[in-house]
Amino acid sequence: MSILIKEILAKPILTESDYKALEEFEPNEGTNRLYSFFTPIWLCEVMYKLAIRYGFDPLKGKVLEPACGTGNFLTVLPNPKNVTAFELDPLNYEVSKKRVLGITIYNNYFETAFLQEPRFTTLLKNNNTWLKDAPFDLVIGNPPYGKYANLYSSYFKSLKFKQVEMFFMLQSLKLLKKGGLLVFITGSNFMRNDKTYQHEKEMIGEYADLVDAYRMPKVFKNTDVPTDILIFKRK
Ligand SMILES: C[S@@+](CC[C@H](N)C(=O)[O-])C[C@H]1O[C@@H](n2cnc3c(N)ncnc32)[C@H](O)[C@@H]1O
């Protein structure tokens, strides 16, 4: 599958079936497999409509997708020049670049948004960031999920967050303007485990109110992990 994808990426002009193949691509090897469950386009559209229902302005609003995978959310956002994205995996990144034009996508860890450019070895003070469109009006996506341990997690150990998806929630909220929205689909752990993530919930609660949530049926092609859509509004 990856070979076919690389052939498509090398083409200067893509056919409709090439775009379809890029949309359907999900890596199926290596550690990547743990994180790469991509959100179906119809669900990206539903989540984007929820953002609009809760007040996001599609004409002017600045948007962040902090772990864009192959770019499914990016394809439903109408204003590429207002969108910033990160994606760690080089192949996912190449696919997302090919599918959407004009969006600033960084092939790097989302964590680097909070570290000094260009070497990313020093944490910026007071949750500062070098992202020029910050603070954003909307953060939308489906962040990586699971135990929080990666190349940059040690910079954030004072947060004492156990799960990477909750780290993404907290740090994304910090990049929103007052009244801005975070719309994520993520594992149901956050909503289910009453006390287990009390510390994480309290910290997230300092930054935002949970304004809506939906428990989802199976929506991902390659995983049965229970998921929820969560909508937060920045305080
Ligand atoms: C669950 S997938 C979702 C992708 C996309 N948001 C979607 O819904 O289709 C999460 C993505 O996060 C990427 N990723 C993992 N850790 C990351 C990090 N620290 N910073 C940026 N991207 C990361 C993975 O490579 C993967 O593509």
Side-chain angles (χ1 to χ4, degrees), residues 20-89:
K20 197 74 197 152
L22 295 183
E23 180 185 324
E24 279 166 10
F25 170 65
E26 285 200 14
N28 51 19
E29 20 186 83
T31 51
N32 213 338
R33 195 76 198 89
L34 292 175
Y35 297 112
S36 292
F37 300 118
F38 299 145
T39 312
I41 302 279
W42 67 265
L43 186 52
C44 298
E45 277 165 2
V46 168
M47 289 169 61
Y48 181 61
K49 282 185 185 148
L50 281 169
I52 292 171
R53 184 205 282 177
Y54 281 97
F56 174 72
D57 177 348
L59 294 177
K60 291 195 295 213
K62 305 273 191 202
V63 186
L64 172 70
E65 213 296 26
C68 71
T70 51
N72 285 359
F73 280 96
L74 306 182
T75 66
V76 306
L77 300 172
N79 259 332
K81 69 172 182 12
N82 285 348
V83 183
T84 303
F86 282 84
E87 171 52 42
L88 179 58
D89 178 78

Side-chain angles (χ1 to χ4, degrees), residues 41-42 59 63 100 123 139 186 202 220:
I41 302 279
W42 67 265
L59 294 177
V63 186
V100 289
L123 192 63
V139 182
T186 189
E202 279 171 13
F220 290 89

